[in-house]
Amino acid sequence: MNWESVEKRKLSWSEFWEMESNRLSVIIRATYDVLPSPINLQLWFGKDPACPLCTVPTKLKHILVGCGTSLTQGRYTWRHNQVLRCLAEKVERKRKSINAQPFTNQEERQFSSAFVREGDKPRISPSTPDLVPLKVAMDWQMQVNLDNGLIFPTEIVTTTLRPDLVLWSNTQKLAYVIELTVPWEEAIEEAIEEAFERKKLRYANLAAEAEDRGWKIKVRPVEVGCRGFATSTTAKLLREIGIRGQAQRQAIRELVNTAERTSHWLWLKRADITWAAKAVS
Ligand SMILES: [Zn+2]
């Protein structure tokens, strides 16, 4: 669908509605912010620019990430949790395979740690290209803040904080705290920086307390754009967990598809005052 030709044709609402069954055109138009959001409709046709849910003047960004009513109704949480579920499935599969790894990998771990000369840093680090940081342990456990909620593992620290995902090893006293955001893409650089600082701050006391008890806490903010664009934080996290190559590309594809598909659902429901969370296949 070529937007310029659409504009010239002056489509009606019902015609727009039919167009929306074409997901590809939604992606393209969402990218350029030319979806028929109320403000755009006013510009083109003189329609009322108020958000149907909260009456604030609106554009696509408002509908997808900025509407207070959508927020309190849980629409954005629903989308966030759909993406989180997808991420958690990937991490869980990797966790199981690492815990079940053959003995040779243990030897590799011992080999790696045996060659640390005095004053040198250990050879296993996230920057070492071929080693998976998670392979330092075989007792990884995972909790994700979805259906049954999450209680932070008390062996690490007692807290009321509820991160999206915690991955931890009791033998290594090492924990990854993962926080997912599904932001508007243009704001993504700021979002990454802000989120990083905010989330580090949020977990600073927890990390300090855990470190007193001999634990190392790695806080990992991760962003998947709400219109279905991947970010470097996603690739970096997957890589660190050991999801690489073809598996990483597949995981990123599924994550961005989930974000795009759920945003599309929020778009379709933009004028429905009531909201009921729904699984989107
Ligand atoms: Zn609104």
Side-chain angles (χ1 to χ4, degrees), residues 2-281:
N2 179 326
W3 179 251
E4 282 163 27
S5 65
V6 171
E7 197 174 13
K8 282 182 195 131
R9 282 178 52 214
K10 303 275 181 194
L11 289 177
S12 68
W13 263 109
S14 64
E15 284 171 305
F16 279 129
W17 202 262
E18 278 168 33
M19 266 167 52
E20 285 159 6
S21 62
N22 183 342
R23 256 184 68 203
L24 186 63
S25 74
V26 168
I27 298 168
I28 294 165
R29 286 176 292 135
T31 304
Y32 296 104
D33 197 8
V34 292
L35 277 171
S37 64
I39 275 189
N40 285 347
L41 281 176
Q42 189 192 34
L43 289 175
W44 302 326
F45 317 121
K47 299 234 174 164
D48 182 359
C51 167
L53 303 181
C54 70
T55 72
V56 164
T58 188
K59 287 186 80 174
L60 180 65
K61 184 176 179 179
H62 175 87
I63 292 164
L64 291 189
V65 298
C67 177
T69 304
S70 293
L71 182 70
T72 51
Q73 284 183 336
R75 296 183 188 216
Y76 303 142
T77 304
W78 166 80
R79 178 179 57 197
H80 168 273
N81 287 353
Q82 298 282 324
V83 180
L84 177 59
R85 191 178 299 280
C86 179
L87 177 67
E89 281 167 11
K90 303 292 168 195
V91 177
E92 174 65 0
R93 199 171 306 154
K94 194 67 198 174
R95 181 189 77 86
K96 281 186 175 160
S97 85
I98 284 180
N99 283 350
Q101 66 196 316
F103 189 69
T104 49
N105 285 330
Q106 289 186 55
E107 287 175 331
E108 176 191 292
R109 290 201 296 271
Q110 285 160 0
F111 177 85
S112 303
S113 54
F115 280 81
V116 180
R117 283 181 306 186
E118 219 177 312
D120 281 1
K121 287 189 172 169
R123 286 173 57 173
I124 293 182
S125 77
S127 59
T128 308
D130 295 312
L131 294 177
V132 176
L134 256 60
K135 285 191 178 173
V136 296
M138 293 174 71
D139 65 332
W140 290 102
Q141 299 181 67
M142 189 180 112
Q143 273 210 46
V144 59
N145 197 9
L146 285 171
D147 315 316
N148 300 321
L150 177 149
I151 295 168
F152 204 88
T154 49
E155 56 265 51
I156 304 173
V157 74
T158 304
T159 176
T160 53
L161 288 172
R162 301 278 176 269
D164 287 322
L165 199 152
V166 186
L167 189 64
W168 77 101
S169 156
N170 284 326
T171 59
Q172 293 297 312
K173 292 199 157 190
L174 175 61
Y176 287 85
V177 171
I178 295 166
E179 283 269 278
L180 170 73
T181 322
V182 186
W184 179 256
E185 278 87 354
E186 265 82 29
I188 222 151
E189 289 303 324
E190 297 159 46
I192 289 170
E193 260 175 56
E194 259 184 49
F196 190 79
E197 291 309 317
R198 198 171 55 240
K199 286 163 188 173
K200 275 205 118 169
L201 206 63
R202 188 186 302 160
Y203 291 99
N205 287 341
L206 182 152
E209 201 181 318
E211 272 165 34
D212 283 346
R213 301 173 67 176
W215 280 81
K216 173 111 184 98
I217 307 293
K218 298 189 175 194
V219 180
R220 294 290 182 264
V222 56
E223 286 80 25
V224 176
C226 75
R227 286 179 290 172
F229 292 90
T231 70
S232 58
T233 55
T234 315
K236 206 171 152 193
L237 176 77
L238 293 172
R239 178 173 173 71
E240 191 169 3
I241 285 167
I243 301 168
R244 298 176 181 184
Q246 176 62 31
Q248 185 184 108
R249 286 190 289 279
Q250 176 67 25
I252 289 174
R253 202 157 40 235
E254 286 179 34
L255 287 166
V256 299
N257 279 346
T258 305
E260 185 270 322
R261 218 168 50 226
T262 47
S263 283
H264 185 210
W265 183 251
L266 295 186
W267 168 254
L268 292 178
K269 292 287 168 194
R270 67 195 178 278
D272 282 10
I273 308 296
T274 55
W275 165 257
K278 169 185 178 295
V280 170
S281 58

